[in-house]
């Protein structure tokens, strides 16, 4: 038990150092996840020394969570996926929560079948699949947990720019509610930064977004029009109208900032589900920026978060795909040795 707590303390120290060095590292999320995991192992190991009845209660509670929890989660994801399709359409990204829920039900059926038939081959497949899902699930929980913490870090007091990231237009020209929430949050952040005393100059707001093939004008132009129509001063706006991806949002906005105010800092505004990945991309692009999120409809969050996690997972594809390949190879070797 003491060893587990000691390991947890080491990971927690590494996490604190990582956050101090740069809050925008995915490694911080993994270190925090490992610290919590080993702390939990230490608590479980100490249950046997607890007063009479406590160990039994913890064991029953754990079994209920392990037995019922996945079924409840799969049901919630499936229901959310159906709602997502009804409200947002059947695009691949909108199907993620539905596919995740149905996939969980499929794994449960496969596990029950393996136990009932006592098939060695099927058991190997199930164990291998559970190891793969366990690895991905651990990283996903780390991602969600640290993204939650990152989104609640105090807003920096001084910045030269506020950068609002685009997200597509309705009908090729109209700002959708998702993007409107970013713009409203951007106005709020700009006002807070401008209100701080001791500033040499007011911050500038950059609206960042190019023109897609189905859009009548660049996203940044529609975003600027939205803000100006609501009273935002046009002379405090800069349009970045070349970007097509979040990576390009960062790179092209950085060019504008360095051109006018070299060495400048910024606050980047996007939706809350996108904030942590945007922070990772800002770090990679060399942008000195904190990312803050705007509210998102609750039904939209599960699929959107899965999409963001998948993108981050593939950013580290050498490590992650290598680990998954190793787990699958081990399963194949066990199968072949039978």
């Amino acid at each position: 038990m003491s060893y587990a707590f000691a390991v947890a303390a080491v990971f927690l120290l590494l996490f604190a150092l990582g956050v101090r060095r740069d809050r925008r590292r995915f490694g911080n999320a993994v270190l925090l996840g490992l610290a919590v995991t080993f702390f939990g192992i230490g608590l479980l190991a100490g249950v046997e020394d607890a007063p009479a009845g406590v160990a039994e209660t913890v064991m029953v509670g754990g079994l209920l969570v392990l037995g019922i929890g996945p079924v409840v989660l799969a049901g919630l994801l499936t229901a959310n996926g159906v709602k997502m399709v009804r409200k947002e359409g059947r695009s691949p990204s909108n199907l993620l929560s539905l596919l995740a829920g149905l996939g969980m039900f499929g794994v449960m059926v496969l596990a029950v079948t393996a136990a009932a038939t006592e098939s060695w081959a099927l058991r190997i497949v199930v164990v291998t699949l559970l190891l793969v899902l366990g690895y991905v699930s651990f990283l996903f929980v780390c991602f969600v947990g640290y993204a939650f913490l990152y989104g609640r870090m105090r807003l920096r007091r001084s910045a030269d720019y506020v950068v609002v990231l685009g997200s597509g237009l309705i009908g090729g020209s109209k700002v959708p509610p998702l993007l409107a929430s970013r713009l409203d949050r951007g106005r709020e952040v700009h006002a807070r930064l401008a209100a701080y005393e001791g500033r040499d100059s007011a911050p500038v707001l950059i609206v960042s977004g190019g023109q897609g093939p189905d859009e009548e004008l660049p996203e940044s132009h529609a975003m600027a029009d939205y803000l100006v129509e609501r009273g935002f001063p046009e002379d405090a706006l800069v349009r970045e109208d070349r970007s097509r991806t979040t990576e390009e949002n960062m790179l092209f906005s950085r060019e504008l900032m360095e051109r006018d105010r070299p060495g400048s800092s910024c606050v980047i505004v996007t939706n809350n589900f996108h904030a942590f990945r945007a922070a990772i991309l800002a770090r990679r692009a060399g942008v000195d920026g904190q990312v803050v999120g705007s509210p998102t409809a609750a039904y939209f969050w599960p699929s959107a978060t899965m999409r963001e996690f998948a993108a981050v997972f593939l950013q580290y594809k050498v490590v992650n795909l290598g680990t998954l390949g190793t787990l699958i190879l081990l399963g194949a070797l066990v199968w072949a040795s039978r």
Side-chain angles (χ1 to χ4, degrees), residues 127-188:
V127 170
T128 303
L129 185 58
L130 290 176
L131 288 174
V132 168
L133 293 176
Y135 176 77
V136 175
S137 298
F138 171 75
L139 292 182
F140 180 73
V141 172
C142 291
F143 174 81
V144 172
Y146 187 70
F148 178 84
L149 292 177
Y150 182 85
R152 281 151 185 79
M153 292 179 180
R154 181 180 299 178
L155 180 67
R156 67 195 312 170
R157 288 181 171 272
S158 176
D160 303 294
Y161 290 91
V162 177
V163 181
V164 182
L165 306 184
S167 67
L169 303 176
I170 293 178
S173 60
K174 184 180 178 182
V175 170
L178 191 75
L179 182 53
S181 72
R182 298 185 184 187
L183 292 166
D184 293 339
R185 178 71 163 132
R187 288 183 63 188
E188 176 192 332

Side-chain angles (χ1 to χ4, degrees), residues 231-242:
F232 192 86
E234 189 166 5
D235 58 1
L237 277 172
V238 172
R239 296 166 176 81
E240 183 287 296
D241 56 9
R242 294 186 294 156

Side-chain angles (χ1 to χ4, degrees), residues 59-264:
M59 183 175 296
V60 171
L63 290 175
L64 288 175
V65 170
L66 292 175
I68 300 176
V71 178
V72 173
L73 179 59
L76 292 175
L77 287 173
T78 303
N80 174 260
V82 172
K83 185 174 183 178
M84 186 74 176
V85 170
R86 287 176 178 173
K87 286 182 171 289
E88 302 291 336
R90 298 182 180 181
S91 68
S93 61
N94 292 340
L95 295 172
L96 288 177
S97 60
L98 177 60
L99 294 175
L102 294 177
M104 289 181 67
F105 279 126
V107 172
M108 293 177 208
V109 171
L110 192 63
V112 170
T113 303
T117 60
E118 298 185 355
S119 169
W120 169 260
L122 195 55
R123 288 182 179 181
I124 293 298
V125 171
V126 170
V127 170
T128 303
L129 185 58
L130 290 176
L131 288 174
V132 168
L133 293 176
Y135 176 77
V136 175
S137 298
F138 171 75
L139 292 182
F140 180 73
V141 172
C142 291
F143 174 81
V144 172
Y146 187 70
F148 178 84
L149 292 177
Y150 182 85
R152 281 151 185 79
M153 292 179 180
R154 181 180 299 178
L155 180 67
R156 67 195 312 170
R157 288 181 171 272
S158 176
D160 303 294
Y161 290 91
V162 177
V163 181
V164 182
L165 306 184
S167 67
L169 303 176
I170 293 178
S173 60
K174 184 180 178 182
V175 170
L178 191 75
L179 182 53
S181 72
R182 298 185 184 187
L183 292 166
D184 293 339
R185 178 71 163 132
R187 288 183 63 188
E188 176 192 332
V189 171
H190 183 273
R192 289 179 62 181
L193 291 174
Y196 287 132
E197 298 180 359
R199 293 191 58 91
D200 296 328
S201 58
V204 175
L205 194 149
I206 298 177
V207 284
S208 178
Q211 184 172 353
D214 59 344
E215 294 174 338
E216 299 174 9
L217 73 166
E219 293 170 14
S220 59
H221 292 202
M223 294 162 70
D225 291 343
Y226 175 93
L227 290 171
V228 172
E229 289 170 3
R230 286 156 181 78
F232 192 86
E234 189 166 5
D235 58 1
L237 277 172
V238 172
R239 296 166 176 81
E240 183 287 296
D241 56 9
R242 294 186 294 156
S243 57
R244 299 289 186 89
T245 65
T246 304
E247 292 90 338
E248 290 183 352
N249 286 140
M250 302 299 177
L251 292 171
F252 296 152
S253 295
R254 181 174 180 268
E255 287 182 10
L256 295 176
M257 291 186 284
E258 288 298 315
R259 181 195 66 189
D260 297 332
R261 301 183 184 182
S264 58

